[in-house]
Amino acid sequence: MADSLEGGQDMASKDRKQHQKIKEQLYKLQNLGADDPDFEPTFRNLFSDLQQHIKEEEGHDLPELEAKLDDESLSQLSKSFERTKLLVPTRSHPLSPQTPPFETAAALLSAPIDKVADIFRKFPKGDGPML
């Protein structure tokens, strides 16, 4: 987007700022218990900001990008995105770098740790059966 659209750098910068805000809210939510008095307002703020961000991306940014790129470029971008989803962290890391290539390097380091931690979060905690 940054290189393909007029004003793309500004759009990418705005997206990164929105992503950072959402990461921070998600990080806060991930560390709250459901009975915490801050849980519901934090969840509502996160959900509202996420809805607005999705609306802007799907209503403006992505259609503008799709109109600018040819079918082959769109196909390559789609495949790249699918590969990227396999390598991203599963938890929020708001202190991680926000711009390439540092963002990519931090995600590649965080993702395996997150995925192992996710396994342990699902691991039985009681004396019940293991399967």
Side-chain angles (χ1 to χ4, degrees), residues 12 14-15 18 21-22 26 44 53 57 60-62 69 111 122 129:
K14 180 181 174 188
D15 278 351
Q18 289 175 341
K21 182 178 179 184
I22 290 168
L26 186 56
R44 288 184 190 279
H53 178 70
E57 276 192 347
H60 179 265
D61 299 356
L62 294 177
L69 298 176
K122 295 175 188 173

Side-chain angles (χ1 to χ4, degrees), residues 59-77:
H60 179 265
D61 299 356
L62 294 177
E64 194 172 327
L65 184 60
E66 287 174 350
K68 187 79 173 176
L69 298 176
D70 60 45
D71 288 344
E72 178 62 27
S73 297
L74 288 170
S75 178
Q76 288 176 352
L77 194 57

Side-chain angles (χ1 to χ4, degrees), residues 39-124:
F39 184 86
E40 188 173 334
T42 301
F43 178 80
R44 288 184 190 279
N45 288 336
L46 169 63
F47 193 74
S48 175
D49 289 345
L50 191 56
Q51 281 183 313
Q52 181 62 33
H53 178 70
I54 291 168
K55 182 180 175 183
E56 289 175 15
E57 276 192 347
E58 291 180 352
H60 179 265
D61 299 356
L62 294 177
E64 194 172 327
L65 184 60
E66 287 174 350
K68 187 79 173 176
L69 298 176
D70 60 45
D71 288 344
E72 178 62 27
S73 297
L74 288 170
S75 178
Q76 288 176 352
L77 194 57
S78 175
K79 289 175 187 174
S80 176
F81 183 70
E82 289 301 317
R83 282 190 306 269
T84 300
K85 288 191 320 187
L86 298 171
L87 303 173
V88 296
T90 60
R91 307 286 286 180
S92 180
H93 298 278
L95 299 178
S96 292
Q98 298 179 42
T99 55
F102 306 108
E103 177 185 44
T104 304
L108 288 172
L109 293 171
S110 301
I113 295 168
D114 284 358
K115 290 176 192 226
V116 169
D118 290 344
I119 291 168
F120 282 103
R121 280 186 197 92
K122 295 175 188 173
F123 203 73

